[in-house]
Amino acid sequence: MDGPSTQCGLDVSLAVIGGKWKPLILYHLQDGPTRFSEIRRRVGGISEKVLIQQLRELVAMTVLVRHDHHQVPPVVDYALTPFGETLVEALVPLCEWGNRNRAEVAGMLQRSSKAASV
Amino acid sequence: MDGPSTQCGLDVSLAVIGGKWKPLILYHLQDGPTRFSEIRRRVGGISEKVLIQQLRELVAMTVLVRHDHHQVPPVVDYALTPFGETLVEALVPLCEWGNRNRAEVAGMLQRSSKAASV
DNA sequence: GGTAGAACATACCAAAAGGTAAGCGCGAGG
DNA sequence: CCTCGCGCTTACCTTTTGGTATGTTCTACC
């Protein structure tokens, strides 16, 4: 039942980084292992529920590893796996594209009255 | 009101290629101007309503141009703009990543019982 | 005449994604 | 003792997204 859409790898990537937050989360994990609350602060605007959800999914895809320090109060951090790092690298051009065209895109979003805080 | 998420360009890119279909559509337009019905066939699995919707948005973002041949029955085609081509280029690594890891990711999706026709 | 196909529009619906709010066990700090 | 913060969980609700079904205009084909 493979549809004709199975020729390009984008469907695969989208299955991994789909959603509003995953790419952002990965981006903010580039500097090494990061604690849950720190990720939350860095990403900004994401709710705890959604963040955990996304982190779990990324861990399930072996893009991240969760490290529980077994302390109380809880100390847990998340880090990119080598596999995850290859993903982040594939994400870089898109990130740069975004930076290059931030102003332009922001302007367009405004004009189509879909204004956001971009 | 800029949140801390405004440092990386991914939010901008996501604003343009967000959604389940846009990256696929762009991919399938690489070979030049393509007619509506042909895009639909190539992408596969997308409904007319959604395709038109996505195409309109991409046109609004000046990623695509719509060319109406003013014929009846209707003949219309869509093509990447130079701007759109830069986007597609930024998408290439992600596409390659997907192809390299198709099997692995497919396996993981299965194991997490989220099976799809990937 | 009936049908098919082009490129849409429109109304309505279901599913998914995301958001809000509350609470939990527990230790540190006031 | 009260509260805060940690890393979650749960229940519930709203928004977004995508999908289905149908209709439209017109031409070509059988």
Side-chain angles (χ1 to χ4, degrees):
Chain A
M1 286 287 181
D2 277 7
S5 62
T6 313
Q7 35 217 345
C8 131
L10 286 173
D11 53 333
V12 178
S13 318
L14 290 180
V16 180
I17 55 158
K20 189 172 163 183
W21 300 107
K22 292 206 186 93
L24 276 322
I25 293 173
L26 294 183
Y27 176 84
H28 287 289
L29 280 175
Q30 279 181 118
D31 327 322
T34 310
R35 295 186 59 176
F36 177 85
S37 49
E38 177 60 20
I39 299 175
R40 206 195 155 181
R41 269 186 292 269
R42 285 195 204 165
V43 173
I46 190 171
S47 68
E48 289 192 344
K49 184 197 111 181
V50 173
L51 178 53
I52 289 182
Q53 203 173 276
Q54 310 289 78
L55 286 173
R56 283 195 184 299
E57 290 176 19
L58 289 170
V59 168
M61 302 296 273
T62 72
V63 168
L64 299 184
V65 256
R66 189 184 108 113
H67 183 205
D68 188 337
H69 293 250
H70 298 293
Q71 287 173 22
V72 57
V75 176
V76 176
D77 57 47
Y78 294 83
L80 288 168
T81 61
F83 180 63
E85 281 174 17
T86 66
L87 218 198
V88 172
E89 276 166 40
L91 234 30
V92 169
L94 212 54
C95 184
E96 289 170 351
W97 186 91
N99 279 324
R100 270 198 304 277
N101 302 288
R102 179 180 300 281
E104 211 167 332
V105 172
M108 292 172 190
L109 287 175
Q110 266 188 290
R111 270 185 286 285
S112 45
S113 64
K114 287 180 180 180
S117 55
V118 180
Chain B
M1 287 287 182
D2 277 9
S5 62
T6 314
Q7 35 217 342
C8 132
L10 286 173
D11 53 334
V12 178
S13 318
L14 290 180
V16 180
I17 55 158
K20 189 172 166 185
W21 299 107
K22 292 207 186 95
L24 277 320
I25 294 172
L26 293 183
Y27 175 85
H28 287 289
L29 280 175
Q30 278 181 118
D31 326 324
T34 310
R35 295 186 58 176
F36 177 84
S37 49
E38 176 61 19
I39 300 175
R40 207 196 154 179
R41 269 185 292 268
R42 285 195 204 165
V43 173
I46 191 172
S47 68
E48 288 193 343
K49 185 197 110 181
V50 173
L51 178 53
I52 289 183
Q53 204 172 276
Q54 309 290 79
L55 287 173
R56 283 195 185 297
E57 290 176 20
L58 290 170
V59 168
M61 301 297 273
T62 72
V63 167
L64 299 184
V65 255
R66 189 184 108 112
H67 183 206
D68 188 339
H69 292 251
H70 298 292
Q71 286 173 22
V72 58
V75 176
V76 177
D77 57 47
Y78 294 83
L80 288 168
T81 61
F83 181 63
E85 282 173 17
T86 66
L87 218 198
V88 172
E89 277 167 38
L91 233 31
V92 169
L94 212 54
C95 185
E96 289 171 350
W97 186 92
N99 280 325
R100 271 198 304 275
N101 302 288
R102 179 179 300 279
E104 211 167 330
V105 171
M108 291 172 189
L109 287 175
Q110 266 188 289
R111 270 185 286 284
S112 45
S113 64
K114 287 180 180 179
S117 55
V118 180

